[in-house]
Amino acid sequence: MAKYIFVTGGVTSSLGKGIFAASLAKLLQARGHRVTIQKFDPYINVDPGTLNPYEHGECYVTEDGAETDLDLGHYERFLNVPTSQANNVTTGRVYQYVINKEREGAYLGKTVQVIPHITDEIKRRMLLLGQTGEYDIVITELGGTVGDIEAQPYIETVRQIIWELGHNNVLVCHLTLIPYLKSAKELKTKPTQHSVKELQSYGLQPDILVCRTEHPLSDDLKRKLALFCNVSNDSVIQASDMETIYDIPLEYQREKLDQTVLRKLELPIAGEPNLDKWKTFIQRLKNPTSQVRIGLVGKYIELQDAYKSIFESFIHAGVANNCKVIVESIHSEDLEEGNIAGTLGHLDGILVAPGFGSRGIEGKIAAIKYVREHNIPFLGICLGMQMAVIEWGRHMLGLADAHSTEMNPDSGNQVICMMEEQKKISAKGGTMRLGAYKCAIALGTKAFDAYGSTNITERHRHRYEFNNEYLDAYEKSGMIASGKNPDTGLVEIVEVPNHPWFVGVQFHPELKSTVENPHPVFIGLIKAAMEYKQKRVGAKAMQEA
Ligand code: GLN
């Protein structure tokens, strides 16, 4: 039977439960355990797919096409193991399932209630991955903060699971904040005490306290927390702010978190976790030999989380090239006002981001025209690729009204059009072309150079595609389709051979980049940016940078 670890949060949101879960999982995985992480979110949306990125950050898509919380991205980047639909559950999904069953008459005349029907369904889903035989340990992150009304059924369910499976099989880690009061020059434990009391009032006793703090916790303070929160002394774990999130597993290892967890779960604690690859990654991350500056052109740049996986992919690809990647966020709407050269001229490469709707797209098109004409390395992702196709149509094929059906259904030249199977769909949730699809790559292309393979799969999230009626004209004029879906002919990658590095991808490479497997397309972009910079500033300046 698998062991279960639950992660709750107290005092405030944004404590980094996702990174904690991923880091603990990494330590356990590095000791040879098969670990997965799942997230339960207490909101009513069936999944985050219909949420605006300003609300909820990036929507992360799994291999099997689930639209999920961005924390699943952290899980995959840390563990290098894919997640699935089962790894992200929301209140909306649970209720939808229970209500559908009620309509089918499955409850045989009973009154359907939060307890036991909703909690039973939550329980079924919490235990599911642990019953597949694929995992030794399942870590479940509970979204929200203890005390939230909507989180109560989840906490009650965890209480029941502990009662059923026993304390040696189930563990609760509670993340909390130890604020520092400058005027008193003191770290304060009271908010933590209160949040633990709140948990206890639901019948749940945390086993491990993970304390986010800006100052080191003294032994006295740790003892005080242990005493008042009713945990053992070695269960108070210090969680300081780190230079990079990739340092965090090592910080928890220093705090012996993995050993405490294993002891409480009655699992053997032999030796130390094997984190050699991880440490090499950090070593290279902290000692780059050059640096490049990449512009990220998008419309949600005010919110870091909106492009989370893209930022992380740059870190991975930078390390693969021993290069520090400085990402400059550029608002696509600002580019519409002109002065493109002033904003982009100093950059070594640009990435035009995915997105939906017309806001800012003319800025994206203007940026693409500039980098194409000035031989600056370019990567367009999804909408970014579609904009590259429109830009080429307008300026290289003379189709002044080239457009996408998404933004201008009346244009005479819809070089990006709705996919056939999308035309009959009107509902919005979970209806895009989602998840992993095959792509065949043509030999002798930049895409082939990057992947070193003719057969790949990548993850998708879109409704529109390259309009194949134009493919001939594009290829004759110098923009080729270097990657296509082998079954449907859908264009997956476009590139311009007569440019140092101009690549657009219909899929989302950022969703598959991990610490152990940096993504080839990002590696290719950074490599091209380094070469471009070297040409511009010379080899010596490159090293000084
Ligand atoms: N809006 C575009 C489409 O649906 C691109 C989507 C995206 O960038 N993820 O095809």
Side-chain angles (χ1 to χ4, degrees):
M1 193 192 85
K3 305 267 184 181
Y4 294 90
I5 300 173
F6 292 91
V7 180
T8 57
V11 183
T12 168
S13 57
S14 305
L15 286 180
K17 289 194 299 268
I19 300 285
F20 168 78
S23 301
L24 172 57
K26 185 76 220 169
L27 292 178
L28 298 171
Q29 183 194 51
R31 284 175 171 278
H33 297 288
R34 298 167 306 158
V35 190
T36 190
I37 318 176
Q38 51 187 4
K39 177 149 195 204
F40 281 58
D41 272 313
Y43 51 72
I44 312 285
N45 304 64
V46 172
D47 60 43
T50 56
L51 287 173
N52 185 322
Y54 284 128
E55 286 274 316
H56 196 261
E58 155 190 286
C59 175
Y60 188 79
V61 180
T62 58
E63 286 290 293
D64 64 350
E67 296 181 291
T68 73
D69 185 82
L70 58 78
D71 274 339
L72 274 78
H74 292 310
Y75 308 163
E76 291 202 9
R77 286 188 283 274
F78 274 51
L79 295 183
N80 201 34
V81 174
T83 54
S84 70
Q85 179 71 71
N87 293 72
N88 193 191
V89 176
T90 69
T91 294
R93 189 171 292 276
V94 170
Y95 271 79
Q96 187 184 49
Y97 183 84
V98 170
I99 291 170
N100 285 344
K101 264 178 76 177
E102 186 274 335
R103 292 289 81 185
E104 287 162 14
Y107 294 105
L108 302 171
K110 284 252 180 281
T111 309
V112 181
Q113 293 177 299
V114 173
I115 297 169
H117 302 100
I118 294 297
T119 47
D120 279 354
E121 179 54 20
I122 294 174
K123 192 186 305 171
R124 186 180 72 81
R125 289 173 187 258
M126 279 179 170
L127 299 179
L128 207 58
L129 286 171
Q131 292 160 341
T132 58
E134 284 173 49
Y135 304 105
D136 309 315
I137 300 170
V138 178
I139 302 183
T140 305
E141 178 192 348
L142 297 187
T145 308
V146 169
D148 296 348
I149 291 173
E150 59 262 43
Q152 284 182 16
Y154 293 95
I155 294 176
E156 164 60 13
T157 310
V158 175
R159 188 196 65 74
Q160 292 184 16
I161 290 176
I162 296 173
W163 187 85
E164 283 170 23
L165 301 184
H167 273 287
N168 52 337
N169 291 316
V170 189
L171 211 63
V172 176
C173 299
H174 186 58
L175 248 87
T176 166
L177 178 71
I178 312 291
Y180 180 75
L181 284 194
K182 253 197 208 143
S183 52
K185 293 196 180 62
E186 257 187 309
L187 286 164
K188 292 300 195 186
T189 63
K190 197 77 82 183
T192 299
Q193 295 181 42
H194 281 296
S195 84
V196 169
K197 284 227 162 62
E198 184 88 29
L199 260 185
Q200 288 167 337
S201 74
Y202 302 129
L204 209 59
Q205 167 64 50
D207 300 283
I208 291 179
L209 276 186
V210 182
C211 304
R212 286 297 305 274
T213 174
E214 288 175 4
H215 297 269
L217 306 180
S218 67
D219 287 344
D220 275 353
L221 194 123
K222 279 188 166 183
R223 260 195 303 276
K224 180 178 171 187
L225 278 164
L227 175 65
F228 290 123
C229 299
N230 201 28
V231 299
S232 56
N233 280 328
D234 63 352
S235 296
V236 180
I237 305 291
Q238 172 178 307
S240 314
D241 295 342
M242 293 278 121
E243 195 182 322
T244 132
I245 55 167
Y246 299 105
D247 278 331
I248 295 177
L250 303 178
E251 154 94 339
Y252 288 136
Q253 191 194 4
R254 279 190 291 274
E255 288 286 298
K256 300 192 167 52
L257 169 69
D258 48 334
Q259 298 188 26
T260 306
V261 164
L262 292 173
R263 182 171 54 73
K264 286 183 185 275
L265 289 174
E266 296 175 3
L267 290 168
I269 315 172
E272 286 295 326
N274 180 355
L275 289 161
D276 293 350
K277 279 190 195 156
W278 193 268
K279 287 180 184 161
T280 308
F281 172 84
I282 293 176
Q283 167 72 15
R284 294 180 69 178
L285 174 63
K286 293 189 176 175
N287 299 286
T289 52
S290 59
Q291 75 176 30
V292 292
R293 205 168 265 279
I294 306 286
L296 169 62
V297 179
K299 69 169 172 179
Y300 301 115
I301 55 149
E302 302 88 342
L303 188 75
Q304 272 264 336
D305 276 359
Y307 301 118
K308 192 84 216 164
S309 296
I310 291 178
F311 282 110
E312 298 306 318
S313 302
F314 275 131
I315 294 176
H316 307 155
V319 168
N321 283 295
N322 288 316
C323 177
K324 176 173 180 172
V325 181
I326 300 170
V327 182
E328 229 176 81
S329 297
I330 297 163
H331 208 300
S332 44
E333 280 178 304
D334 294 344
L335 289 170
E336 288 176 20
E337 284 152 28
N339 194 18
I340 305 282
T343 317
L344 305 180
H346 64 292
L347 296 169
D348 307 311
I350 79 156
L351 186 153
V352 175
F356 296 83
S358 51
R359 184 163 69 94
I361 57 157
E362 291 304 327
K364 289 183 171 174
I365 293 171
I368 295 167
K369 179 167 187 284
Y370 182 83
V371 294
R372 182 177 56 74
E373 290 175 346
H374 291 83
N375 285 329
I376 301 173
F378 161 78
L379 172 61
I381 298 183
C382 207
L383 184 70
M385 170 266 197
Q386 296 175 354
M387 293 306 115
V389 169
I390 292 175
E391 192 280 322
W392 187 275
R394 288 187 191 174
H395 304 119
M396 298 300 285
L397 286 176
L399 309 171
D401 61 347
H403 225 303
S404 162
T405 316
E406 180 179 5
M407 291 87 189
N408 186 354
D410 303 323
S411 143
N413 282 293
Q414 295 177 33
V415 294
I416 301 294
C417 61
M418 188 175 261
M419 286 178 283
E420 202 48 46
E421 70 269 23
Q422 287 286 325
K423 292 184 179 157
K424 30 190 186 304
I425 298 172
S426 61
K428 288 281 181 278
T431 56
M432 281 186 253
R433 179 172 182 249
L434 289 166
Y437 285 90
K438 283 188 275 187
C439 170
I441 293 182
L443 290 168
T445 59
K446 293 198 174 68
F448 181 79
D449 285 348
Y451 283 97
S453 166
T454 51
N455 285 303
I456 57 155
T457 67
E458 290 284 359
R459 299 185 198 170
H460 299 73
R461 183 172 187 247
H462 64 123
R463 290 197 172 85
Y464 298 86
E465 65 173 320
F466 183 99
N467 185 344
N468 269 324
E469 283 176 23
Y470 291 88
L471 186 56
D472 240 16
Y474 271 75
E475 297 211 312
K476 283 195 183 115
S477 59
M479 176 180 269
I480 62 162
S482 51
K484 283 188 205 161
N485 181 295
D487 306 319
T488 63
L490 185 147
V491 174
E492 296 279 13
I493 311 176
V494 295
E495 62 183 76
V496 176
N498 187 21
H499 182 287
W501 215 84
F502 189 101
V503 176
V505 292
Q506 183 56 76
F507 47 79
H508 291 266
E510 73 277 20
L511 303 176
K512 280 181 70 168
S513 183
T514 70
V515 166
E516 270 182 40
N517 274 323
H519 197 285
V521 163
F522 278 87
I523 297 178
L525 172 66
I526 299 305
K527 198 160 153 269
M530 289 165 72
E531 283 162 11
Y532 172 79
K533 182 176 176 185
Q534 181 142 0
K535 245 190 236 153
R536 214 169 41 136
V537 302
K540 193 163 166 288
M542 219 31 208
Q543 266 145 29
E544 279 162 9

